[in-house]
Each structure stands twice: as C-alpha cells, then as structure tokens.
Amino acid sequence: MTRKDLESRIKQRVHDQFSPVAGDYVSSVTHAQGADLNRLLNLAEPEGHERVLDVATGGGHTALAFAPHVHSVVASDLTMEMLQAARQHITAQGVSNVAFCQSPAEVLPFASNHFDLVTCRVAAHHFANARAFTCEAARVLRPGGMLIISDHIGLEDAALDAFMDLFERWRDPSHVRAYSVAEWSMFLDAAGLTLEHSEDYRWEPYEFAEWAARQRMPVAEQAALEQWLLAAPERFRSFFEITEQDGRVVSLRGTFGILVGRKPGVAR
Amino acid sequence: MKIVWRLLGLVAIVAVGVAIFKLLRQNRQDNVFEMPPAGQSGGGYGSGEKRTISPELLEILADPADKGPVELITDGNGKEWLLNPRNGYRYPVEDGIPIMLIEEGEKNQDPSLVREEATASE
C-alpha cells in the first residue's frame, strides 16, 4: 500500500467516524467549554486585526472562541457534516465573521503568507500526515505569524505511549497518533517554523461512559476495553488515573499539551 | 410663576412618557429583526441566510494543487463553482461552503474553460 492509499484510507475513516456524530461534537461540553480555549487566546494575544485559520474546526469551538477577538476566521474541516453543524452553531450565536471551507489539513486551499494565526485544537491526532499539515500551516502563515496546536501529546516513555495509543484507537479507530513534543518539534523544524513554547495541559479526566459513547463505541467493545484497562499493571493504572467502581471503569486521563510555533520574519 | 413650573413639570412627564414608549417600540422591532442582514456586522464574512461565498474568502481561496487563484463562476443551471482557469478544474460550492478537494476539482474538470493567458501568467 502506498503512502497515498494509506492517507486516503485514514481520511475515509475520519469521515466515517465523524459525519454521523457531528452534532455530538458541537454539543460536547468537553469540547465546547474546555478551559484550554482561554489559554489559547492568552497565548495568541489577538489585538483585533488578525486573520485566523482554524484547521479541522470540528464543532467550531475554537473558531467561535477567537471570532469576537479577531478580524475574521476561516474554519476548515475534512467533513462537510461537521462544517454544517459548526456553521449552524456559530451563526446561532450571532457571530458573522467566520467563513467555512471543506479541505483536508494536509492540502490547504489558501494563498500563501496570508494568515496571522493558524489554530488546530484536539484534531492533529486524526491527521493522515501531520508533517504535511505543519508545512501547509507554515506556508499560509505570514512572516511572524503563529501556529497554535492543542492536542493529545504522546509520551517519551515508549510503554506508556503504546498503552495510551491503544486505548485511544480502540475507542476511536480514526485516532492516528498522539505525537510527542519531540516529534512536533521535528515537524515544525522541517516546515521552517520555530517551536516557541510548549506546555502540558491537564484536561478533565474522561468520564468513561460519556467518552466511549460519543464515538458510538459498541457496548461489547466498551466492556472489552474496560476489562483491558482494569487488567493493566499498577504503573499504567496510576499514570492514566484509571478509577474503578464495582468492576467498571469510571474515568481515566489522557495526556494533552499546547505548542506554539512561529514563522520567522517581521510582522507586516 | 407657579403656573410656569407646573407647565414645565407636565412637559417633563410627557417627554419621559414618549421616551419610554419609543424605547419599547424600538425594542420590539429589534426583537422582530433579530437576525442582522447578511454581511453587515463583524469583521467581514457575514455568512447568514444567503449562503454565498464572501468576497473576502474568495480573495484568499486558492487551488489546493497549484495554489493559484480560483474564480467564482455560475454554470447554465445556476450552480456555482470555483474554477482554476489554468487547468479547468472546478470545485463545487455546496450551500455556500466551497469543497476544495483536489479529487472533486478533477472529477468536475471542464477543459473548455482553460484560458491560455491564465496559464501563461503563472
């Protein structure tokens, strides 16, 4: 199988995974009210004139959070159903400076050197080619522009990393990979961006039942995943904060982080 | 002198009454026209009910393959497309959202729309 076949297969899987649950991602409290949105705004420090691109906008939460603080936002996503759900949600809030565009993250249909800010929140772990996305983000950014990525972050400890990778993909087959800070640093470097800042970001633990249900995980699969999680060695259970009640998993925690890349050059 | 003050007081009460009435009426109108007209408020894109691509988005949209500019065209059936005049690729616009997937552009290619000068200027 060529790289291209693999990428189109991944994109198909993302589409199949998200088009039936588009509305759920708009209404998901975790996605809509993540306190990380405020953190992203603080890091970006918008002054009001910025042109922003939000890649893989999903429920449109990042686009909506930035829209009142910037000149305009373009929200792109691979899935038309997500875009329509996001547009409905955003226009219902009376926000009108957000435009929508269907496009894969790896091949952006925008002029070069245009955006002041590119955001990508809780999405890059689905990308067929995160390296290509980073290059495209760098291309569409103006010199001095900023790329902010907020996502699952992979772990330097290979065993912990493999464990997390397995439970994330078990729940969501379109989960490709949570890249570590070192991997992101390589992608940014290859794209000509400077990694300016990175930080861990602690999300709320996953409430297991809600987390599994949001991706329409079959009941039998949920039970199998629970058994597997509960059978894990203590080191894994404590690292991912797996909590248990009456033989069922109540919650667990994935690792997240925020990265800021900068395109060299002077602001216009 | 007393009568002047009384008159002034009366006028003030009437003025306040008229002001309140106007405010209430304005408020009711605002509620009726809750949706702002497309393209009015905010920084520019103004999507709204019209479901058309805003000029600002159009200006920065590029062909995903060659990254050159695209043009908004309308075919005989009134359907809108984003045309790459250099190779005739046409990208569909669905309900105001451009579908900028290379495979879509290729599928809807119309070689008769290729313009030599567009190719040359690249």
Side-chain angles (χ1 to χ4, degrees), chain A residues 51 71-74 80 83-84 87 91 96-97 99-102 104 107-111 114-115 136 139, chain B residues 41-48 51 56-57 60-64 67 94-102:
Chain A
R51 286 155 215 279
H71 175 269
S72 55
V73 183
V74 176
M80 180 54 88
L83 287 166
Q84 280 166 341
R87 178 168 69 179
T91 48
S96 63
N97 60 337
F100 299 86
C101 178
Q102 187 180 5
V107 193
L108 297 175
F110 306 108
H114 176 76
F115 293 101
E136 276 290 81
R139 179 183 66 81
Chain B
S41 57
Y45 287 120
S47 48
R51 305 290 196 217
E56 196 180 333
L57 177 60
I60 58 156
L61 273 176
D63 182 282
K67 313 296 185 193
E94 191 181 305
D95 196 20
I97 301 179
I99 301 175
M100 303 306 283
L101 310 173
I102 294 175

mmCIF file of all heavy atoms in Angstrom, chain A residues 51 71-74 80 83-84 87 91 96-97 99-102 104 107-111 114-115 136 139, chain B residues 41-48 51 56-57 60-64 67 94-102:
data_model
loop_
_atom_site.group_PDB
_atom_site.id
_atom_site.type_symbol
_atom_site.label_atom_id
_atom_site.label_comp_id
_atom_site.label_asym_id
_atom_site.label_seq_id
_atom_site.Cartn_x
_atom_site.Cartn_y
_atom_site.Cartn_z
ATOM 1 N N ARG A 51 -6.211 37.803 11.038
ATOM 2 C CA ARG A 51 -6.922 36.851 10.173
ATOM 3 C C ARG A 51 -6.503 35.462 10.610
ATOM 4 O O ARG A 51 -5.316 35.143 10.621
ATOM 5 C CB ARG A 51 -6.557 37.104 8.710
ATOM 6 C CG ARG A 51 -7.214 38.351 8.174
ATOM 7 C CD ARG A 51 -6.462 38.961 7.011
ATOM 8 N NE ARG A 51 -6.567 40.421 7.059
ATOM 9 C CZ ARG A 51 -7.602 41.105 6.622
ATOM 10 N NH1 ARG A 51 -8.622 40.471 6.098
ATOM 11 N NH2 ARG A 51 -7.627 42.409 6.720
ATOM 12 N N HIS A 71 -10.189 39.858 13.435
ATOM 13 C CA HIS A 71 -10.908 40.401 12.278
ATOM 14 C C HIS A 71 -11.823 39.355 11.658
ATOM 15 O O HIS A 71 -12.996 39.593 11.402
ATOM 16 C CB HIS A 71 -9.887 40.901 11.249
ATOM 17 C CG HIS A 71 -10.511 41.378 9.978
ATOM 18 N ND1 HIS A 71 -10.723 40.546 8.897
ATOM 19 C CD2 HIS A 71 -11.003 42.587 9.621
ATOM 20 C CE1 HIS A 71 -11.307 41.236 7.932
ATOM 21 N NE2 HIS A 71 -11.492 42.479 8.351
ATOM 22 N N SER A 72 -11.267 38.166 11.410
ATOM 23 C CA SER A 72 -12.076 37.125 10.783
ATOM 24 C C SER A 72 -11.431 35.761 10.969
ATOM 25 O O SER A 72 -10.236 35.661 11.208
ATOM 26 C CB SER A 72 -12.232 37.423 9.285
ATOM 27 O OG SER A 72 -10.957 37.569 8.700
ATOM 28 N N VAL A 73 -12.260 34.735 10.846
ATOM 29 C CA VAL A 73 -11.782 33.360 10.987
ATOM 30 C C VAL A 73 -12.260 32.559 9.781
ATOM 31 O O VAL A 73 -13.407 32.689 9.355
ATOM 32 C CB VAL A 73 -12.343 32.690 12.271
ATOM 33 C CG1 VAL A 73 -11.774 31.277 12.430
ATOM 34 C CG2 VAL A 73 -12.043 33.526 13.511
ATOM 35 N N VAL A 74 -11.360 31.753 9.208
ATOM 36 C CA VAL A 74 -11.770 30.738 8.251
ATOM 37 C C VAL A 74 -11.692 29.408 8.981
ATOM 38 O O VAL A 74 -10.663 29.078 9.571
ATOM 39 C CB VAL A 74 -10.857 30.715 7.003
ATOM 40 C CG1 VAL A 74 -11.265 29.573 6.077
ATOM 41 C CG2 VAL A 74 -10.917 32.039 6.262
ATOM 42 N N MET A 80 -17.957 17.571 5.604
ATOM 43 C CA MET A 80 -18.992 18.576 5.322
ATOM 44 C C MET A 80 -20.040 18.624 6.438
ATOM 45 O O MET A 80 -20.480 19.704 6.835
ATOM 46 C CB MET A 80 -19.644 18.257 3.967
ATOM 47 C CG MET A 80 -20.725 19.213 3.531
ATOM 48 S SD MET A 80 -20.247 20.974 3.507
ATOM 49 C CE MET A 80 -19.570 21.171 1.859
ATOM 50 N N LEU A 83 -18.852 20.765 9.197
ATOM 51 C CA LEU A 83 -18.873 22.187 8.840
ATOM 52 C C LEU A 83 -20.271 22.759 8.954
ATOM 53 O O LEU A 83 -20.462 23.874 9.455
ATOM 54 C CB LEU A 83 -18.342 22.375 7.411
ATOM 55 C CG LEU A 83 -16.836 22.191 7.235
ATOM 56 C CD1 LEU A 83 -16.486 22.060 5.761
ATOM 57 C CD2 LEU A 83 -16.074 23.365 7.854
ATOM 58 N N GLN A 84 -21.260 21.980 8.487
ATOM 59 C CA GLN A 84 -22.632 22.485 8.544
ATOM 60 C C GLN A 84 -23.110 22.607 9.991
ATOM 61 O O GLN A 84 -23.752 23.585 10.353
ATOM 62 C CB GLN A 84 -23.551 21.585 7.710
ATOM 63 C CG GLN A 84 -23.425 21.926 6.236
ATOM 64 C CD GLN A 84 -24.037 20.891 5.327
ATOM 65 O OE1 GLN A 84 -24.257 19.747 5.728
ATOM 66 N NE2 GLN A 84 -24.298 21.274 4.086
ATOM 67 N N ARG A 87 -21.320 25.640 11.459
ATOM 68 C CA ARG A 87 -21.880 26.905 10.963
ATOM 69 C C ARG A 87 -23.210 27.231 11.649
ATOM 70 O O ARG A 87 -23.455 28.369 12.057
ATOM 71 C CB ARG A 87 -22.077 26.847 9.443
ATOM 72 C CG ARG A 87 -22.703 28.134 8.904
ATOM 73 C CD ARG A 87 -22.642 28.241 7.410
ATOM 74 N NE ARG A 87 -23.511 27.260 6.768
ATOM 75 C CZ ARG A 87 -23.654 27.162 5.455
ATOM 76 N NH1 ARG A 87 -22.984 27.975 4.656
ATOM 77 N NH2 ARG A 87 -24.446 26.265 4.936
ATOM 78 N N THR A 91 -23.479 30.651 13.763
ATOM 79 C CA THR A 91 -24.382 31.730 13.357
ATOM 80 C C THR A 91 -25.504 31.915 14.379
ATOM 81 O O THR A 91 -25.983 33.028 14.575
ATOM 82 C CB THR A 91 -24.982 31.508 11.946
ATOM 83 O OG1 THR A 91 -25.470 30.177 11.876
ATOM 84 C CG2 THR A 91 -23.953 31.716 10.870
ATOM 85 N N SER A 96 -20.719 36.517 12.933
ATOM 86 C CA SER A 96 -20.813 36.501 11.470
ATOM 87 C C SER A 96 -19.475 36.681 10.766
ATOM 88 O O SER A 96 -19.429 36.831 9.555
ATOM 89 C CB SER A 96 -21.789 37.582 11.015
ATOM 90 O OG SER A 96 -21.284 38.846 11.396
ATOM 91 N N ASN A 97 -18.359 36.670 11.498
ATOM 92 C CA ASN A 97 -17.066 36.833 10.812
ATOM 93 C C ASN A 97 -16.302 35.514 10.687
ATOM 94 O O ASN A 97 -15.088 35.483 10.711
ATOM 95 C CB ASN A 97 -16.213 37.905 11.504
ATOM 96 C CG ASN A 97 -15.903 37.561 12.952
ATOM 97 O OD1 ASN A 97 -16.627 36.787 13.572
ATOM 98 N ND2 ASN A 97 -14.850 38.129 13.485
ATOM 99 N N ALA A 99 -15.953 32.151 8.182
ATOM 100 C CA ALA A 99 -16.276 31.531 6.894
ATOM 101 C C ALA A 99 -15.871 30.063 6.956
ATOM 102 O O ALA A 99 -15.014 29.676 7.749
ATOM 103 C CB ALA A 99 -15.531 32.239 5.773
ATOM 104 N N PHE A 100 -16.494 29.242 6.116
ATOM 105 C CA PHE A 100 -16.277 27.797 6.204
ATOM 106 C C PHE A 100 -15.790 27.237 4.871
ATOM 107 O O PHE A 100 -16.160 27.735 3.809
ATOM 108 C CB PHE A 100 -17.580 27.113 6.623
ATOM 109 C CG PHE A 100 -18.054 27.593 7.968
ATOM 110 C CD1 PHE A 100 -18.837 28.751 8.076
ATOM 111 C CD2 PHE A 100 -17.687 26.934 9.121
ATOM 112 C CE1 PHE A 100 -19.241 29.223 9.308
ATOM 113 C CE2 PHE A 100 -18.093 27.393 10.362
ATOM 114 C CZ PHE A 100 -18.866 28.545 10.456
ATOM 115 N N CYS A 101 -14.961 26.202 4.971
ATOM 116 C CA CYS A 101 -14.356 25.647 3.766
ATOM 117 C C CYS A 101 -14.023 24.175 3.995
ATOM 118 O O CYS A 101 -13.432 23.824 5.017
ATOM 119 C CB CYS A 101 -13.084 26.437 3.462
ATOM 120 S SG CYS A 101 -12.202 25.820 2.040
ATOM 121 N N GLN A 102 -14.422 23.311 3.048
ATOM 122 C CA GLN A 102 -14.093 21.889 3.192
ATOM 123 C C GLN A 102 -12.735 21.621 2.581
ATOM 124 O O GLN A 102 -12.510 21.883 1.396
ATOM 125 C CB GLN A 102 -15.156 21.023 2.501
ATOM 126 C CG GLN A 102 -14.930 19.534 2.770
ATOM 127 C CD GLN A 102 -15.961 18.647 2.090
ATOM 128 O OE1 GLN A 102 -16.810 19.115 1.340
ATOM 129 N NE2 GLN A 102 -15.876 17.359 2.348
ATOM 130 N N PRO A 104 -8.881 19.078 3.369
ATOM 131 C CA PRO A 104 -8.038 18.289 4.276
ATOM 132 C C PRO A 104 -6.949 19.178 4.866
ATOM 133 O O PRO A 104 -6.539 20.161 4.246
ATOM 134 C CB PRO A 104 -7.437 17.213 3.368
ATOM 135 C CG PRO A 104 -7.496 17.767 1.995
ATOM 136 C CD PRO A 104 -8.636 18.751 1.958
ATOM 137 N N VAL A 107 -3.616 19.674 2.667
ATOM 138 C CA VAL A 107 -3.578 20.362 1.368
ATOM 139 C C VAL A 107 -4.495 21.576 1.473
ATOM 140 O O VAL A 107 -5.648 21.522 1.090
ATOM 141 C CB VAL A 107 -4.067 19.442 0.218
ATOM 142 C CG1 VAL A 107 -3.730 20.048 -1.127
ATOM 143 C CG2 VAL A 107 -3.458 18.047 0.322
ATOM 144 N N LEU A 108 -3.986 22.673 1.999
ATOM 145 C CA LEU A 108 -4.850 23.815 2.279
ATOM 146 C C LEU A 108 -5.069 24.671 1.032
ATOM 147 O O LEU A 108 -4.109 25.013 0.334
ATOM 148 C CB LEU A 108 -4.239 24.666 3.405
ATOM 149 C CG LEU A 108 -4.096 23.957 4.754
ATOM 150 C CD1 LEU A 108 -3.370 24.849 5.760
ATOM 151 C CD2 LEU A 108 -5.463 23.548 5.306
ATOM 152 N N PRO A 109 -6.333 25.037 0.760
ATOM 153 C CA PRO A 109 -6.654 25.792 -0.450
ATOM 154 C C PRO A 109 -6.629 27.304 -0.225
ATOM 155 O O PRO A 109 -7.591 27.999 -0.518
ATOM 156 C CB PRO A 109 -8.069 25.305 -0.776
ATOM 157 C CG PRO A 109 -8.673 25.070 0.575
ATOM 158 C CD PRO A 109 -7.557 24.646 1.492
ATOM 159 N N PHE A 110 -5.521 27.806 0.311
ATOM 160 C CA PHE A 110 -5.442 29.240 0.579
ATOM 161 C C PHE A 110 -4.133 29.810 0.048
ATOM 162 O O PHE A 110 -3.127 29.098 -0.060
ATOM 163 C CB PHE A 110 -5.530 29.505 2.088
ATOM 164 C CG PHE A 110 -6.737 28.873 2.723
ATOM 165 C CD1 PHE A 110 -6.611 27.777 3.556
ATOM 166 C CD2 PHE A 110 -8.010 29.350 2.443
ATOM 167 C CE1 PHE A 110 -7.721 27.171 4.109
ATOM 168 C CE2 PHE A 110 -9.134 28.749 2.993
ATOM 169 C CZ PHE A 110 -8.988 27.659 3.836
ATOM 170 N N ALA A 111 -4.176 31.100 -0.235
ATOM 171 C CA ALA A 111 -2.982 31.796 -0.707
ATOM 172 C C ALA A 111 -1.895 31.739 0.368
ATOM 173 O O ALA A 111 -2.194 31.644 1.562
ATOM 174 C CB ALA A 111 -3.342 33.238 -1.034
ATOM 175 N N HIS A 114 -0.688 34.570 4.249
ATOM 176 C CA HIS A 114 -1.893 35.373 4.480
ATOM 177 C C HIS A 114 -2.294 35.466 5.952
ATOM 178 O O HIS A 114 -2.554 36.564 6.456
ATOM 179 C CB HIS A 114 -3.064 34.807 3.681
ATOM 180 C CG HIS A 114 -4.355 35.515 3.937
ATOM 181 N ND1 HIS A 114 -4.627 36.753 3.400
ATOM 182 C CD2 HIS A 114 -5.414 35.188 4.713
ATOM 183 C CE1 HIS A 114 -5.815 37.150 3.824
ATOM 184 N NE2 HIS A 114 -6.316 36.225 4.623
ATOM 185 N N PHE A 115 -2.350 34.334 6.644
ATOM 186 C CA PHE A 115 -2.954 34.324 7.980
ATOM 187 C C PHE A 115 -1.967 34.780 9.063
ATOM 188 O O PHE A 115 -0.781 34.494 9.009
ATOM 189 C CB PHE A 115 -3.486 32.932 8.325
ATOM 190 C CG PHE A 115 -4.656 32.519 7.466
ATOM 191 C CD1 PHE A 115 -4.472 31.659 6.393
ATOM 192 C CD2 PHE A 115 -5.926 33.004 7.724
ATOM 193 C CE1 PHE A 115 -5.546 31.287 5.592
ATOM 194 C CE2 PHE A 115 -7.011 32.645 6.929
ATOM 195 C CZ PHE A 115 -6.818 31.777 5.861
ATOM 196 N N GLU A 136 1.947 23.004 5.425
ATOM 197 C CA GLU A 136 0.901 23.844 4.843
ATOM 198 C C GLU A 136 0.547 25.011 5.765
ATOM 199 O O GLU A 136 0.335 26.141 5.300
ATOM 200 C CB GLU A 136 -0.355 22.996 4.562
ATOM 201 C CG GLU A 136 -0.305 22.257 3.245
ATOM 202 C CD GLU A 136 -0.404 23.201 2.065
ATOM 203 O OE1 GLU A 136 0.641 23.805 1.709
ATOM 204 O OE2 GLU A 136 -1.493 23.353 1.504
ATOM 205 N N ARG A 139 3.130 27.550 5.297
ATOM 206 C CA ARG A 139 3.002 28.251 4.014
ATOM 207 C C ARG A 139 1.951 29.361 4.075
ATOM 208 O O ARG A 139 2.184 30.466 3.599
ATOM 209 C CB ARG A 139 2.621 27.252 2.904
ATOM 210 C CG ARG A 139 2.447 27.891 1.524
ATOM 211 C CD ARG A 139 1.994 26.878 0.475
ATOM 212 N NE ARG A 139 0.641 26.358 0.727
ATOM 213 C CZ ARG A 139 -0.482 27.005 0.400
ATOM 214 N NH1 ARG A 139 -0.416 28.195 -0.192
ATOM 215 N NH2 ARG A 139 -1.661 26.474 0.669
ATOM 216 N N SER B 41 -22.599 42.913 10.091
ATOM 217 C CA SER B 41 -21.837 43.099 11.314
ATOM 218 C C SER B 41 -20.491 42.401 11.246
ATOM 219 O O SER B 41 -20.210 41.632 10.341
ATOM 220 C CB SER B 41 -22.634 42.518 12.486
ATOM 221 O OG SER B 41 -22.902 41.160 12.220
ATOM 222 N N GLY B 42 -19.652 42.697 12.215
ATOM 223 C CA GLY B 42 -18.410 41.974 12.386
ATOM 224 C C GLY B 42 -17.360 42.319 11.360
ATOM 225 O O GLY B 42 -17.467 43.299 10.643
ATOM 226 N N GLY B 43 -16.345 41.482 11.326
ATOM 227 C CA GLY B 43 -15.168 41.799 10.542
ATOM 228 C C GLY B 43 -15.232 41.427 9.088
ATOM 229 O O GLY B 43 -14.275 41.644 8.385
ATOM 230 N N GLY B 44 -16.302 40.819 8.599
ATOM 231 C CA GLY B 44 -16.231 40.673 7.160
ATOM 232 C C GLY B 44 -16.953 39.538 6.480
ATOM 233 O O GLY B 44 -17.468 39.759 5.413
ATOM 234 N N TYR B 45 -17.022 38.328 7.053
ATOM 235 C CA TYR B 45 -17.503 37.254 6.207
ATOM 236 C C TYR B 45 -19.002 37.247 6.053
ATOM 237 O O TYR B 45 -19.503 36.829 5.029
ATOM 238 C CB TYR B 45 -17.031 35.915 6.741
ATOM 239 C CG TYR B 45 -15.578 35.718 6.488
ATOM 240 C CD1 TYR B 45 -14.679 35.521 7.509
ATOM 241 C CD2 TYR B 45 -15.104 35.775 5.182
ATOM 242 C CE1 TYR B 45 -13.341 35.364 7.244
ATOM 243 C CE2 TYR B 45 -13.769 35.622 4.920
ATOM 244 C CZ TYR B 45 -12.881 35.403 5.951
ATOM 245 O OH TYR B 45 -11.575 35.249 5.698
ATOM 246 N N GLY B 46 -19.729 37.678 7.080
ATOM 247 C CA GLY B 46 -21.184 37.747 7.018
ATOM 248 C C GLY B 46 -21.814 36.617 6.253
ATOM 249 O O GLY B 46 -22.223 36.803 5.128
ATOM 250 N N SER B 47 -21.901 35.443 6.847
ATOM 251 C CA SER B 47 -22.485 34.325 6.125
ATOM 252 C C SER B 47 -23.999 34.488 6.094
ATOM 253 O O SER B 47 -24.554 34.973 5.123
ATOM 254 C CB SER B 47 -22.095 33.014 6.791
ATOM 255 O OG SER B 47 -22.311 33.087 8.189
ATOM 256 N N GLY B 48 -24.680 34.152 7.185
ATOM 257 C CA GLY B 48 -26.109 34.388 7.265
ATOM 258 C C GLY B 48 -26.909 33.512 6.317
ATOM 259 O O GLY B 48 -26.469 32.456 5.896
ATOM 260 N N ARG B 51 -26.069 32.345 2.124
ATOM 261 C CA ARG B 51 -25.270 31.177 1.753
ATOM 262 C C ARG B 51 -24.468 31.398 0.481
ATOM 263 O O ARG B 51 -24.546 30.603 -0.458
ATOM 264 C CB ARG B 51 -26.168 29.950 1.565
ATOM 265 C CG ARG B 51 -27.046 29.617 2.748
ATOM 266 C CD ARG B 51 -26.248 29.098 3.913
ATOM 267 N NE ARG B 51 -27.088 28.439 4.879
ATOM 268 C CZ ARG B 51 -26.881 28.519 6.193
ATOM 269 N NH1 ARG B 51 -25.897 29.227 6.681
ATOM 270 N NH2 ARG B 51 -27.665 27.877 7.017
ATOM 271 N N GLU B 56 -14.271 38.244 0.647
ATOM 272 C CA GLU B 56 -13.015 38.136 1.378
ATOM 273 C C GLU B 56 -12.457 36.714 1.342
ATOM 274 O O GLU B 56 -11.257 36.510 1.169
ATOM 275 C CB GLU B 56 -13.224 38.589 2.827
ATOM 276 C CG GLU B 56 -11.916 38.876 3.513
ATOM 277 C CD GLU B 56 -12.093 39.328 4.955
ATOM 278 O OE1 GLU B 56 -13.146 39.888 5.284
ATOM 279 O OE2 GLU B 56 -11.157 39.110 5.729
ATOM 280 N N LEU B 57 -13.341 35.728 1.483
ATOM 281 C CA LEU B 57 -12.885 34.334 1.410
ATOM 282 C C LEU B 57 -12.436 34.023 -0.018
ATOM 283 O O LEU B 57 -11.397 33.399 -0.237
ATOM 284 C CB LEU B 57 -14.009 33.376 1.844
ATOM 285 C CG LEU B 57 -13.685 31.879 1.735
ATOM 286 C CD1 LEU B 57 -12.500 31.497 2.601
ATOM 287 C CD2 LEU B 57 -14.895 31.025 2.100
ATOM 288 N N ILE B 60 -8.880 34.898 -0.938
ATOM 289 C CA ILE B 60 -7.738 34.118 -0.447
ATOM 290 C C ILE B 60 -7.818 32.641 -0.821
ATOM 291 O O ILE B 60 -6.870 31.905 -0.613
ATOM 292 C CB ILE B 60 -7.583 34.235 1.089
ATOM 293 C CG1 ILE B 60 -8.859 33.768 1.787
ATOM 294 C CG2 ILE B 60 -7.229 35.649 1.481
ATOM 295 C CD1 ILE B 60 -8.600 33.314 3.210
ATOM 296 N N LEU B 61 -8.966 32.211 -1.383
ATOM 297 C CA LEU B 61 -9.066 30.806 -1.785
ATOM 298 C C LEU B 61 -8.108 30.549 -2.936
ATOM 299 O O LEU B 61 -7.944 31.380 -3.830
ATOM 300 C CB LEU B 61 -10.495 30.474 -2.215
ATOM 301 C CG LEU B 61 -11.456 30.045 -1.098
ATOM 302 C CD1 LEU B 61 -12.860 29.852 -1.672
ATOM 303 C CD2 LEU B 61 -10.994 28.777 -0.391
ATOM 304 N N ALA B 62 -7.481 29.381 -2.893
ATOM 305 C CA ALA B 62 -6.543 29.006 -3.940
ATOM 306 C C ALA B 62 -6.812 27.575 -4.349
ATOM 307 O O ALA B 62 -7.418 26.798 -3.588
ATOM 308 C CB ALA B 62 -5.113 29.141 -3.422
ATOM 309 N N ASP B 63 -6.386 27.217 -5.541
ATOM 310 C CA ASP B 63 -6.490 25.831 -5.943
ATOM 311 C C ASP B 63 -5.595 25.006 -5.012
ATOM 312 O O ASP B 63 -4.437 25.351 -4.806
ATOM 313 C CB ASP B 63 -6.021 25.674 -7.391
ATOM 314 C CG ASP B 63 -6.167 24.240 -7.859
ATOM 315 O OD1 ASP B 63 -5.314 23.398 -7.493
ATOM 316 O OD2 ASP B 63 -7.139 23.950 -8.577
ATOM 317 N N PRO B 64 -6.151 23.919 -4.429
ATOM 318 C CA PRO B 64 -5.348 23.159 -3.464
ATOM 319 C C PRO B 64 -4.092 22.545 -4.083
ATOM 320 O O PRO B 64 -3.122 22.287 -3.364
ATOM 321 C CB PRO B 64 -6.306 22.071 -2.968
ATOM 322 C CG PRO B 64 -7.454 22.062 -3.912
ATOM 323 C CD PRO B 64 -7.523 23.417 -4.534
ATOM 324 N N LYS B 67 -2.071 26.070 -5.943
ATOM 325 C CA LYS B 67 -2.107 27.206 -5.011
ATOM 326 C C LYS B 67 -2.351 28.552 -5.706
ATOM 327 O O LYS B 67 -2.209 29.611 -5.099
ATOM 328 C CB LYS B 67 -0.836 27.299 -4.158
ATOM 329 C CG LYS B 67 -0.384 25.989 -3.519
ATOM 330 C CD LYS B 67 -1.373 25.431 -2.513
ATOM 331 C CE LYS B 67 -0.803 24.192 -1.832
ATOM 332 N NZ LYS B 67 -1.841 23.460 -1.086
ATOM 333 N N GLU B 94 -21.196 23.986 -2.029
ATOM 334 C CA GLU B 94 -22.422 23.376 -1.519
ATOM 335 C C GLU B 94 -22.976 24.234 -0.409
ATOM 336 O O GLU B 94 -22.347 24.378 0.646
ATOM 337 C CB GLU B 94 -22.116 21.956 -1.013
ATOM 338 C CG GLU B 94 -23.374 21.162 -0.705
ATOM 339 C CD GLU B 94 -23.052 19.767 -0.186
ATOM 340 O OE1 GLU B 94 -22.314 19.033 -0.867
ATOM 341 O OE2 GLU B 94 -23.532 19.424 0.909
ATOM 342 N N ASP B 95 -24.138 24.842 -0.667
ATOM 343 C CA ASP B 95 -24.796 25.645 0.365
ATOM 344 C C ASP B 95 -23.834 26.721 0.903
ATOM 345 O O ASP B 95 -23.766 26.959 2.104
ATOM 346 C CB ASP B 95 -25.267 24.715 1.498
ATOM 347 C CG ASP B 95 -26.282 25.396 2.403
ATOM 348 O OD1 ASP B 95 -26.891 26.389 1.958
ATOM 349 O OD2 ASP B 95 -26.444 24.951 3.550
ATOM 350 N N GLY B 96 -23.073 27.315 -0.013
ATOM 351 C CA GLY B 96 -22.160 28.398 0.376
ATOM 352 C C GLY B 96 -20.814 27.940 0.904
ATOM 353 O O GLY B 96 -19.953 28.765 1.194
ATOM 354 N N ILE B 97 -20.605 26.619 1.040
ATOM 355 C CA ILE B 97 -19.317 26.115 1.535
ATOM 356 C C ILE B 97 -18.527 25.506 0.370
ATOM 357 O O ILE B 97 -18.986 24.545 -0.247
ATOM 358 C CB ILE B 97 -19.519 25.047 2.646
ATOM 359 C CG1 ILE B 97 -20.296 25.652 3.826
ATOM 360 C CG2 ILE B 97 -18.174 24.495 3.109
ATOM 361 C CD1 ILE B 97 -20.567 24.675 4.961
ATOM 362 N N PRO B 98 -17.361 26.100 0.058
ATOM 363 C CA PRO B 98 -16.567 25.543 -1.038
ATOM 364 C C PRO B 98 -15.967 24.186 -0.678
ATOM 365 O O PRO B 98 -15.493 23.993 0.434
ATOM 366 C CB PRO B 98 -15.465 26.582 -1.245
ATOM 367 C CG PRO B 98 -15.413 27.375 0.003
ATOM 368 C CD PRO B 98 -16.764 27.295 0.651
ATOM 369 N N ILE B 99 -16.034 23.257 -1.612
ATOM 370 C CA ILE B 99 -15.468 21.915 -1.407
ATOM 371 C C ILE B 99 -14.130 21.870 -2.138
ATOM 372 O O ILE B 99 -14.062 21.619 -3.340
ATOM 373 C CB ILE B 99 -16.436 20.832 -1.936
ATOM 374 C CG1 ILE B 99 -17.784 20.953 -1.211
ATOM 375 C CG2 ILE B 99 -15.838 19.430 -1.762
ATOM 376 C CD1 ILE B 99 -18.852 20.018 -1.714
ATOM 377 N N MET B 100 -13.059 22.145 -1.406
ATOM 378 C CA MET B 100 -11.750 22.309 -2.036
ATOM 379 C C MET B 100 -10.928 21.019 -1.952
ATOM 380 O O MET B 100 -9.822 20.988 -1.423
ATOM 381 C CB MET B 100 -11.010 23.480 -1.391
ATOM 382 C CG MET B 100 -11.770 24.798 -1.441
ATOM 383 S SD MET B 100 -12.279 25.276 -3.111
ATOM 384 C CE MET B 100 -10.721 25.889 -3.767
ATOM 385 N N LEU B 101 -11.495 19.952 -2.503
ATOM 386 C CA LEU B 101 -10.793 18.666 -2.541
ATOM 387 C C LEU B 101 -10.312 18.443 -3.975
ATOM 388 O O LEU B 101 -11.112 18.538 -4.914
ATOM 389 C CB LEU B 101 -11.733 17.531 -2.117
ATOM 390 C CG LEU B 101 -12.515 17.732 -0.808
ATOM 391 C CD1 LEU B 101 -13.529 16.612 -0.602
ATOM 392 C CD2 LEU B 101 -11.551 17.796 0.375
ATOM 393 N N ILE B 102 -9.017 18.140 -4.113
ATOM 394 C CA ILE B 102 -8.445 18.006 -5.459
ATOM 395 C C ILE B 102 -9.242 17.009 -6.300
ATOM 396 O O ILE B 102 -9.531 17.256 -7.473
ATOM 397 C CB ILE B 102 -6.961 17.583 -5.379
ATOM 398 C CG1 ILE B 102 -6.133 18.710 -4.723
ATOM 399 C CG2 ILE B 102 -6.405 17.264 -6.763
ATOM 400 C CD1 ILE B 102 -4.685 18.360 -4.482
#
